[in-house]
Each structure stands twice: as C-alpha cells, then as structure tokens.
Amino acid sequence: MSQTFPKTQLWFMDWHSRVLDHDPISDYFSPTPFQPGVYPGMSALIALPLNLPCDITFTKRVSMPRPLPVFEAQDAEKGLLFFQLKGHDKFLKSAPVPGKGEITTDASIPKNWERFLPMTEDVMRGLSTLLTPQSASLIDVATGKVLPPIKPGAGFLWSLGETPLPLAANIQNIEQIGRLPARHEAEISFIRNDDQPPFRVHVRRPS
C-alpha cells in the first residue's frame, strides 16, 4: 500500500521574476510582478516531496466558471518545473510581451520561458522579507556592511548586494527566513551562482 502525503499549496514564479496569477477579466492565467506580502490568485495543491511527473490542477482564489487545463508537471532540473498540457505536446509558457506579459500553452519545445519555480508559503514569506527593508536587517557577515533588499532578476537569479543568488539552489535558506519569527535572528549561508564559498548573511527580524 503506497504512502500518501498531505498536499501543500504552491505558487509559481516564471523566468522573468513574475508569478502566475489569475486575471478575473479573462478568467485565465496572468503573470504579475512579485509583490511582498501578496499571495497570487492562482495556486495548486501538490503532495511534497514532488514525485515527478505528476498531474497538476491549478485553482483560482476567486471561483469563476472558465475551466483551467490540466497539466503534467515535469522535471526541468535544478528545482524547476515544466507544465505540459495533459494529452498534448504543448507546454505552459510565460512570454515577456510588452506590458504585463502573456501566459500561453502553445510552446512545442520547453525552454527557458517554460520553466517555473514552485514556492511554498514559507518561500513567499522569505522573499517578502528579503525585499522589504523594514521586515529585516541584512548584514554581510564577512564585512559587517548592511545590505540593501534583494533585487529580482531574470532566470531565477536575484542579487543581494553585488552577489547573484540562484533562487532554486537557496530555496531552503529562503524558507528558513520565511519561518523566522519577530525579534529573532539567524545566520544564512547563501549558495552563490559560482564556485565561491557561501555568502554568509546575518538576518535579524525586528519586533
């Protein structure tokens, strides 16, 4: 008898540092910038750890009549996912068209714009903390210098000060920050985007 795992709500970031959201006008997927403290209106319930490939059904926070396609989540390597349209050789794609961007299901070959980063609630909180100066002080352990908020970038590569940090490789570090209570602190060893030693940052949450 196979073991069943409780399902966890996940949100998804695209290659352009936007999140999959719900457009109530079109009643369909919409890419929106990541906003600290704001949960997108499109998510999915998935059992963790992921056992890929697996079926995935997106749900809308605001219930509306248009049905959403069913996808198969596939391994895109390094903690990322592809979403293949169930029963078809097409993939979910987030294209950087002028304006808000566009979500389509017309990609025949999955490349960069078809990659998505799954994010738990703790990841969402951790990124919000790193983006909001009043949420935490960030200090470079090696130099003692106060760091600015993390800066979003393309390709799931964000920058803390002058140091590029791959989000997927640091997902556990970001979750740890997301679980850090007020008036607590922790030293985080961020994995860099090269072969250099970890980037050690002291994170302190205010009261």
Side-chain angles (χ1 to χ4, degrees), residues 78 140-143 147 156-171 173 188-201:
K78 299 181 179 180
D140 183 339
V141 172
T143 65
L147 296 165
F156 312 103
L157 193 64
W158 290 26
S159 296
L160 192 53
E162 300 297 320
T163 305
L165 301 175
L167 294 187
N170 284 288
I171 209 75
N173 287 326
I188 306 295
S189 295
F190 285 104
I191 298 171
R192 299 175 187 256
N193 195 43
D194 50 31
D195 294 328
Q196 297 298 313
F199 182 39
R200 295 163 54 219
V201 176

Side-chain angles (χ1 to χ4, degrees), residues 101-170:
E102 183 181 27
I103 302 294
T104 67
T105 55
D106 61 358
S108 299
I109 300 175
K111 297 180 181 179
N112 289 336
W113 295 352
E114 290 75 36
R115 298 177 192 271
F116 294 89
L117 174 70
M119 300 181 293
T120 62
E121 186 171 5
D122 285 336
V123 171
M124 297 284 288
R125 288 175 178 158
L127 287 176
S128 294
T129 298
L130 290 169
L131 282 163
T132 311
Q134 58 267 36
S135 294
S137 61
L138 309 173
I139 301 171
D140 183 339
V141 172
T143 65
K145 295 177 62 174
V146 176
L147 296 165
I150 199 168
K151 183 178 180 181
F156 312 103
L157 193 64
W158 290 26
S159 296
L160 192 53
E162 300 297 320
T163 305
L165 301 175
L167 294 187
N170 284 288

Side-chain angles (χ1 to χ4, degrees), residues 1-205:
M1 187 172 180
S2 61
Q3 184 179 2
T4 58
F5 295 92
K7 292 188 175 181
T8 300
Q9 188 173 19
L10 296 178
W11 294 267
F12 301 92
M13 180 181 291
D14 69 12
W15 181 267
H16 318 286
S17 288
R18 301 173 306 205
V19 291
L20 282 183
D21 206 344
H22 175 233
D23 180 358
I25 304 300
S26 64
D27 194 15
Y28 200 63
F29 294 103
S30 173
T32 59
F34 186 98
Q35 301 178 61
V38 177
Y39 292 92
M42 192 77 74
S43 61
L45 289 173
I46 303 179
L48 298 180
L50 287 170
N51 184 20
L52 299 173
C54 66
D55 288 355
I56 176 172
T57 301
F58 289 94
T59 57
K60 314 165 191 175
R61 185 169 59 227
V62 178
S63 179
M64 297 185 74
R66 181 179 178 181
L68 294 171
V70 176
F71 295 89
E72 181 180 83
Q74 299 179 359
D75 184 12
E77 300 182 343
K78 299 181 179 180
L80 304 176
L81 299 175
F82 294 130
F83 295 122
Q84 182 176 357
L85 197 60
K86 190 72 174 176
H88 301 272
D89 292 327
K90 299 293 183 180
F91 293 82
L92 192 69
K93 176 176 73 175
S94 183
V97 299
K100 291 181 61 180
E102 183 181 27
I103 302 294
T104 67
T105 55
D106 61 358
S108 299
I109 300 175
K111 297 180 181 179
N112 289 336
W113 295 352
E114 290 75 36
R115 298 177 192 271
F116 294 89
L117 174 70
M119 300 181 293
T120 62
E121 186 171 5
D122 285 336
V123 171
M124 297 284 288
R125 288 175 178 158
L127 287 176
S128 294
T129 298
L130 290 169
L131 282 163
T132 311
Q134 58 267 36
S135 294
S137 61
L138 309 173
I139 301 171
D140 183 339
V141 172
T143 65
K145 295 177 62 174
V146 176
L147 296 165
I150 199 168
K151 183 178 180 181
F156 312 103
L157 193 64
W158 290 26
S159 296
L160 192 53
E162 300 297 320
T163 305
L165 301 175
L167 294 187
N170 284 288
I171 209 75
Q172 292 183 340
N173 287 326
I174 298 168
E175 284 185 316
Q176 182 180 348
I177 294 171
R179 292 191 293 265
L180 196 63
R183 299 186 299 277
H184 284 67
E185 52 193 83
E187 183 176 305
I188 306 295
S189 295
F190 285 104
I191 298 171
R192 299 175 187 256
N193 195 43
D194 50 31
D195 294 328
Q196 297 298 313
F199 182 39
R200 295 163 54 219
V201 176
H202 192 90
V203 180
R204 181 182 297 116
R205 294 291 313 277

